[in-house]
Structures are given as structure tokens and as C-alpha cells.
Amino acid sequence: GDSVTQMEGPVTLSEEAFLTINCTYTATGYPSLFWYVQYPGEGLQLLLKATKADDKGSNKGFEATYRKETTSFHLEKGSVQVSDSAVYFCALTQGGSEKLVFGKGTKLTVNP
Amino acid sequence: GAVVSQHPSWVICKSGTSVKIECRSLDFQATTMFWYRQFPKQSLMLMATSNEGSKATYEQGVEKDKFLINHASLTLSTLTVTSAHPEDSSFYICSAGEGSSSYNAEAFFGQGTRLTVV
């Protein structure tokens, strides 16, 4: 079945550092890909998405590019802030289904 | 954007009692709602998918009689944890889809319910 693999955390960075969280997927067909963020004590929020190969999703300085050839959707940010500390989940949906398949999540801590 | 409201946001109950969690779509009709459980330091695990007016579809390993799901209207789904035990303590999250056949369909999440069974 479909699956998502994320780099294991936790990840600890200093403010203004460059962030990469790796995400690869296994799926038949052409899934849509998502990054969700869960801030401490809150529910999941959609951070960005991409629906076809070579699409780039971006939001709040975060970016991820849908790479079909490497089945990847790595999350990047050029300069992280303390407020970016959260758990980040990579996910996919298949075709017209709204059923999400999640990775295990990567906890990011950004220190001042 | 679409709003999904989950209530309560946290609840503490005694072992052996039942707890009901509500999930409402506030500004759209949700043909399909999903219930997830999040264990500490783990990902969200899909428990069941509920469709309005029909029985929920449970994922493998999820006890149907313990986690009762009712999707009585296009804006409301409820999850009842029956005869709760401490091992049921977890973070429960619902999400709702607009039921579109669009390839770009995305789910909207409630804020989650922290259940603690003592």
C-alpha cells in the first residue's frame, strides 16, 4: 500500500539556520503531497501542498517540490525562527480520495 | 478556508465511563469525515472513515464496538469511546472532506481532543 517515510527526528537548529526535512513516498499512480505542521498544543494545519510532478508548494517561507523521479517531497526553509518549532508531517492522498497517509512526523526545535 | 470544529478540546474521565467527541464542519458539507488517533511521539493513525448516513469503515485493528462513530448529518460526526480505559488516553483528531471528486481534494482538521482516562 501507499506509504510515507520521513527523516527521523528530533531536529534541533539555531535560529536562522537552513532547514531540510526529507520525505519520500511509495504510491501507485499520482498522489497529491502535503506537509502539515502541528504547533505545541494545537491541531494539524496544512502548511503546503503539491498536486503534480514538479509543482512547488510554498508557504510562510517553507518550500517543497514534488519530485516524481525520486519520489520525494523534501521540506526546506532558508532561515528558521524559534516560532517554527513544531512537529512536521509529510502526507499523501491518492487520486480523488481524501484519505491521508501520514509519515511519522519530525519534531523541530529552533533555539534562539 | 473551511473550518472544522472539534469538541471538547480536552476531557478527563474515569475508567469504565464513555466519552463522546464531536466533529463539526462549520461552513461546508462534509460527506466524509475521518477519525485519527495520535500516540505520543507517533504519527496519526487513521481509525475510521465515516460517510454521512452509512456505517463507518474501520481500519484493521480498531475495535468497532469500542469506538462508536455516528455521522448523522453532513456537518456532524461523533466518536464515542465506550468503557474507556487508561490505554485509550490519546489525542483524537477528526478531519473532514468536502466530498468532491476533485483530484486536488484536501482534508480540513479539527483542533483535536486530548482524552485522559484515570
Side-chain angles (χ1 to χ4, degrees):
Chain A
D2 298 346
S3 65
V4 174
T5 302
Q6 281 180 245
M7 65 182 287
E8 295 211 11
V11 175
T12 303
L13 296 173
S14 297
E15 205 164 23
E16 299 184 2
F18 184 86
L19 168 71
T20 299
I21 300 178
N22 289 337
C23 172
T24 57
Y25 67 89
T26 302
T28 55
Y30 303 96
S32 293
L33 303 174
F34 304 82
W35 277 100
Y36 285 85
V37 58
Q38 184 178 28
Y39 297 105
E42 298 184 14
L44 269 76
Q45 302 173 30
L46 178 64
L47 180 60
L48 53 85
K49 68 175 183 178
T51 58
K52 61 182 187 296
D54 300 325
D55 267 2
K56 176 185 285 188
S58 61
N59 185 25
K60 299 182 180 180
F62 291 89
E63 292 183 340
T65 301
Y66 190 139
R67 300 288 188 198
K68 189 172 184 293
E69 63 276 16
T70 55
T71 62
S72 65
F73 193 54
H74 305 321
L75 182 68
E76 297 182 337
K77 186 173 185 180
S79 176
V80 293
Q81 305 299 313
V82 173
S83 57
D84 293 327
S85 298
V87 180
Y88 292 83
F89 291 93
C90 186
L92 64 80
T93 59
Q94 185 64 270
S97 169
E98 291 157 285
K99 177 177 175 178
L100 281 157
V101 176
F102 286 90
K104 289 189 175 181
T106 302
K107 183 176 181 179
L108 169 67
T109 301
V110 181
N111 295 317
Chain B
V3 177
V4 173
S5 177
Q6 196 172 332
H7 178 80
S9 56
W10 61 270
V11 58
I12 301 174
C13 71
K14 291 185 178 181
S15 186
T17 62
S18 295
V19 174
K20 180 183 288 187
I21 302 169
E22 292 186 347
C23 181
R24 294 181 184 272
S25 57
L26 298 186
D27 50 5
F28 67 99
Q29 292 187 329
T31 308
T32 307
M33 287 188 173
F34 304 90
W35 287 95
Y36 296 85
R37 177 175 179 173
Q38 186 179 24
F39 293 98
K41 301 182 181 180
Q42 296 289 321
S43 183
L44 286 81
M45 180 191 78
L46 180 65
M47 298 174 66
T49 302
S50 73
N51 294 290
E52 186 266 337
S54 62
K55 290 184 178 180
T57 302
Y58 289 81
E59 296 298 303
Q60 190 173 8
V62 178
E63 299 176 60
K64 301 178 182 181
D65 294 333
K66 182 164 188 64
F67 299 100
L68 301 179
I69 292 173
N70 183 15
H71 193 162
S73 75
L74 286 171
T75 59
L76 174 65
S77 177
T78 60
L79 168 68
T80 301
V81 183
T82 62
S83 186
H85 288 94
E87 58 265 30
D88 298 324
S89 299
S90 187
F91 194 59
Y92 293 86
I93 304 173
C94 72
S95 71
E98 294 186 74
S100 167
S101 61
S102 166
Y103 180 75
N104 297 329
E106 67 182 55
F108 304 99
F109 283 80
Q111 70 270 38
T113 298
R114 173 74 61 190
L115 170 64
T116 303
V117 184
V118 297

